[in-house]
Amino acid sequence: EYPRIAVHALIPENTGIPRIWHRAKALLGAYPLGLGNFVNPAASSAVRRVIKEHSYDVSIVSVHKLLYLREGASQKPVVLIPFDAHSMAYQRGYKSTASLTERLRFYFAYLAFRNMEKYEYRHFTLVAPVSDIDCRWLRDGCSAINLQELPIAIEERYFANRRNADATEQTVHLVCGGVYTTTAISNAIVGFVVGSYPQLKRKYPHLKVTVWGRGAVPGKLKRCLGRHPEIRSLIWANDYLAEVARTDIYLYPQQFASGIQTKVQHMMAAGVPVVGRRETLEPLGVEHGTSGLIFDSVESLNSALSLLIERPGLRQRIGLEGREGMLRKYSMPAVSQVFKSMVSAIVGNRQ
């Protein structure tokens, strides 16, 4: 329907003195330092030239770090896809930690991202985060921002990759995972291995557990896993889809977050029942007890996992309900329709 759609990869990260200079300006403006890495007048000029040469109707800027590229769009509509409401994640981080150092870090990051969202996002024709919860957070911070949810689509191969539903209590495979370089995830995995895992292992001695993450394993987590050699540690899967299909329960224990988590999407699309915190699962439309299980303490986590381990029928029902939710909202056709409606509305308002 859009024969002239085009993708131009413009990610010119600054180095040397320009990088230092623009990061200093971002700091003085109480903006995130990372914005200074991508302020590039030459890139904005290139965007302006490309838009003029091809007469594009709409420009889309992906990720907040590139928001200054909107300056090259001149009078044309520009859409920003920031993915998350980043200030929400930092505010949640501030509330979730008792460490004074961490609280200060989260607080200043929250202020910087809140300033960026409030004073920069309103210059875009439309800002399209990945969930309605992120939209509401941004709207509360600045009513002048024009917002619309634009979900992240799930490829068909994940829906075709159905979970093997034949596991019994004696062969249940629990996967706990996330991105190791995110402190909120690595600390939460440590919390699971130290707090919940020993109790579950005593109760269900045949339970198989895999800790599956991406990035360098932090020292604290590495030492923790070293005390439990029976836990399989997986960083890189040669066959990602096969690993998903072998999963009976997926635990995503991240302590705080914003946006939506694509690994959780992939598991749900395959019919794997998921367990996570409210901040992680609610943006995906998960209802506790119906399409997933939500926990807020070690006790409620142990209870949720025990239910799924002991009741294969419940695993099957929750997995199927979660999969149906992903099909309704996050399949390629569903997200394509949202995208087409968004672009059509913007172009129509210009005519």
Side-chain angles (χ1 to χ4, degrees):
E1 296 189 30
Y2 299 105
R4 293 179 56 247
I5 196 168
V7 176
H8 294 271
L10 293 167
I11 312 177
E13 187 166 358
N14 293 325
T15 58
I17 293 177
R19 180 186 179 94
I20 296 172
W21 169 248
H22 288 297
R23 284 173 68 89
K25 288 181 66 176
L27 178 63
L28 291 173
Y31 278 7
L33 289 178
L35 284 184
N37 298 352
F38 295 91
V39 179
N40 192 317
S44 296
S45 297
V47 170
R48 188 177 299 110
R49 184 173 62 254
V50 166
I51 291 174
K52 183 176 181 180
E53 179 182 342
H54 297 280
S55 300
Y56 291 132
D57 296 306
V58 182
S59 300
I60 297 176
V61 176
S62 179
V63 307
H64 70 278
K65 292 180 181 179
L66 302 180
L67 62 80
Y68 287 120
L69 290 179
R70 74 168 188 274
E71 298 168 359
S74 188
Q75 300 303 310
K76 295 283 188 176
V78 187
V79 177
L80 173 67
I81 302 177
F83 295 99
D84 301 12
H86 300 282
S87 62
M88 180 169 65
Y90 287 112
Q91 191 243 29
R92 288 171 169 176
Y94 174 82
K95 289 184 175 181
S96 73
T97 183
S99 164
L100 177 60
T101 303
E102 286 292 286
R103 285 174 70 88
L104 286 173
R105 184 175 72 85
F106 284 131
Y107 180 69
F108 286 112
Y110 159 75
L111 291 179
F113 276 95
R114 200 59 159 167
N115 282 338
M116 177 193 72
E117 293 161 355
K118 182 176 182 179
Y119 296 112
E120 297 296 332
Y121 285 10
R122 61 186 179 182
H123 297 298
F124 287 87
T125 309
L126 180 70
V127 176
V130 295
S131 84
D132 180 61
I133 289 175
D134 292 82
C135 282
R136 292 203 302 266
W137 172 269
L138 292 173
R139 188 174 290 114
D140 288 344
C142 181
S143 60
I145 304 175
N146 186 25
L147 291 155
Q148 178 181 330
E149 178 186 8
L150 181 63
I152 295 177
I154 303 172
E155 296 178 53
E156 174 57 32
R157 62 192 178 115
Y158 294 107
F159 290 110
N161 185 47
R162 300 295 295 273
R163 177 181 75 87
N164 176 8
D166 296 331
T168 65
E169 180 182 322
Q170 283 72 37
T171 60
V172 170
H173 181 204
L174 167 65
V175 174
C176 175
V179 180
Y180 291 149
T181 51
T182 301
T183 306
I185 295 177
S186 60
N187 285 345
I189 295 174
V190 170
F192 163 72
V193 174
V194 172
S196 294
Y197 172 72
Q199 300 177 49
L200 292 171
K201 192 63 176 175
R202 284 194 296 271
K203 191 174 182 181
Y204 311 105
H206 299 290
L207 178 68
K208 296 188 296 183
V209 175
T210 295
V211 170
W212 184 7
R214 178 164 57 87
V217 182
K220 185 178 180 181
L221 177 56
K222 186 179 295 185
R223 291 189 296 273
C224 182
L225 292 175
R227 291 191 287 271
H228 296 279
E230 73 279 7
I231 295 179
R232 176 176 174 238
S233 179
L234 180 64
I235 296 177
W236 176 261
N238 291 323
D239 190 335
Y240 182 92
L241 294 179
E243 289 293 339
V244 172
R246 283 194 288 265
T247 302
D248 297 306
I249 304 168
Y250 185 64
L251 168 62
Y252 192 86
Q254 183 167 355
Q255 294 170 327
F256 57 88
S258 58
I260 59 178
Q261 314 308 317
T262 54
K263 182 67 73 64
V264 178
Q265 282 185 302
H266 297 165
M267 291 290 182
M268 293 182 71
V272 178
V274 297
V275 180
R277 293 182 180 273
R278 189 171 304 279
E279 293 87 349
T280 298
L281 298 187
E282 273 193 340
L284 289 168
V286 171
E287 295 182 7
H288 178 65
T290 301
S291 51
L293 293 179
I294 294 172
F295 74 93
D296 58 9
S297 66
V298 173
E299 292 74 24
S300 59
L301 172 58
N302 291 350
S303 175
L305 293 176
S306 293
L307 276 175
L308 292 174
I309 292 169
E310 295 174 5
R311 297 170 60 182
L314 182 64
R315 291 200 300 271
Q316 180 81 346
R317 179 174 62 78
I318 288 180
L320 289 176
E321 187 63 36
R323 173 183 158 80
E324 287 302 311
M326 294 300 100
L327 276 168
R328 284 192 297 270
K329 185 170 182 177
Y330 299 100
S331 65
M332 283 291 185
V335 176
S336 294
Q337 188 57 51
V338 174
F339 180 81
K340 287 188 287 187
S341 299
M342 179 186 80
V343 173
S344 296
I346 293 171
V347 174
N349 289 336
R350 296 276 297 179
Q351 293 175 348

